[in-house]
């Protein structure tokens, strides 16, 4: 996958609603950033939904899972690029951030669990495990509970793109 320049990165075929770039060290300096940012972003993109409060709550939870996963698995330096794209009722969230090879492979493994025919079983086992859950729990939740289609790609410069595509609201008809 060719490397996007910082600030302009998406090759999405869906119209872009918003984009923000964050220093990954600043983002990860405080756990509460995930929750605050996901709530803010959800409010920004929910204004034109049928039930904007319900949509915002669902969206915030989904974005929080993605950001929490990045919070747990990323490289120490670089930029976290976050963008939201929408066409009709399909929302695509793209996160681009630096990762080492091991971390990229961990994301691939987690995405593989989401695509597994036993994803719901894997999700419930991870959710109720006594051991501390690994970073795949949030991605499993997105796949099982939100029906998110998740993908990862790698850019030539070593950064990866985590993409979640979801439909959180039925047609407006």
């Amino acid at each position: 996958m060719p490397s996007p320049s910082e600030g302009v990165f998406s090759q999405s075929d869906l119209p872009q609603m918003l984009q923000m770039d964050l220093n990954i060290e600043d983002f990860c300096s405080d756990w509460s950033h995930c929750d605050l940012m996901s709530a803010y972003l959800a409010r920004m993109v929910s204004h034109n939904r049928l039930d904007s409060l319900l949509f915002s709550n669902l969206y915030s939870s989904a974005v929080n899972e993605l950001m929490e996963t990045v919070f747990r698995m990323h490289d120490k330096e670089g930029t976290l690029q976050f963008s939201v794209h929408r066409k009709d009722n399909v929302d695509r969230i793209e996160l681009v951030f630096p990762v080492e090879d091991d971390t990229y492979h961990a994301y691939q493994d987690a995405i593989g669990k989401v695509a597994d025919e036993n994803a719901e079983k894997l999700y419930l086992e991870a959710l109720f495990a006594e051991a501390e859950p690994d970073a795949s729990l949030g991605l499993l939740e997105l796949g099982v509970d939100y029906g998110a289609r998740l993908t990862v790609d790698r850019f030539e410069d070593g950064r990866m793109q985590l993409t979640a595509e979801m439909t959180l609201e039925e047609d407006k008809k």
Side-chain angles (χ1 to χ4, degrees):
M1 183 176 222
S3 180
S5 60
E6 299 243 344
V8 178
F9 68 94
S10 182
Q11 298 174 8
S12 176
D13 56 336
L14 302 182
Q16 183 171 312
M17 294 182 72
L18 66 88
Q19 176 180 333
M20 64 180 184
D21 295 350
L22 307 161
N23 179 299
I24 199 115
E25 289 179 75
D26 293 340
F27 168 69
C28 293
S29 65
D30 187 341
W31 177 264
S32 66
H33 291 163
C34 296
D35 185 46
L36 294 171
M37 289 176 50
S38 60
Y40 175 76
L41 291 167
R43 280 190 225 121
M44 293 287 290
V45 301
S46 301
H47 68 282
N48 62 347
R49 300 287 91 183
L50 288 174
D51 185 341
S52 62
L53 184 59
L54 174 62
F55 189 89
S56 178
N57 284 335
L58 290 171
Y59 209 92
S60 176
S61 294
V63 170
N64 192 55
E65 290 301 333
L66 288 168
M67 290 190 160
E68 194 172 311
T69 302
V70 173
F71 178 83
R72 292 174 186 248
M73 296 194 319
H74 62 83
D75 265 2
K76 294 180 180 176
E77 296 180 358
T79 301
L80 168 62
Q81 296 175 294
F82 180 98
S83 66
V84 175
H85 305 261
R86 178 180 290 158
K87 183 171 184 181
D88 300 324
N89 290 336
V90 176
D91 282 83
R92 182 180 297 153
I93 301 167
E94 297 176 343
L95 298 105
V96 176
F97 50 99
V99 293
E100 296 289 333
D101 286 343
D102 291 348
T103 304
Y104 178 69
H105 294 302
Y107 274 97
Q108 286 182 310
D109 291 344
I111 299 297
K113 289 179 185 177
V114 175
D116 190 292
E117 65 183 38
N118 296 315
E120 185 172 349
K121 179 182 176 198
L122 294 170
Y123 170 57
L124 293 174
E125 287 174 356
L127 186 62
F128 296 110
E130 290 187 23
E132 179 153 337
D134 66 26
S136 67
L137 179 61
L139 299 179
L140 278 165
E141 181 179 346
L142 288 170
V144 172
D145 287 346
Y146 294 84
R149 191 174 72 85
L150 301 166
T151 58
V152 290
D153 289 305
R154 191 95 193 242
F155 294 109
E156 293 169 352
D157 63 5
R159 294 180 299 153
M160 69 165 266
Q161 178 174 307
L162 172 61
T163 304
E165 194 168 288
M166 303 176 286
T167 302
L168 297 177
E169 182 179 78
E170 298 299 320
D171 287 334
K172 292 182 176 183
K173 299 176 186 173

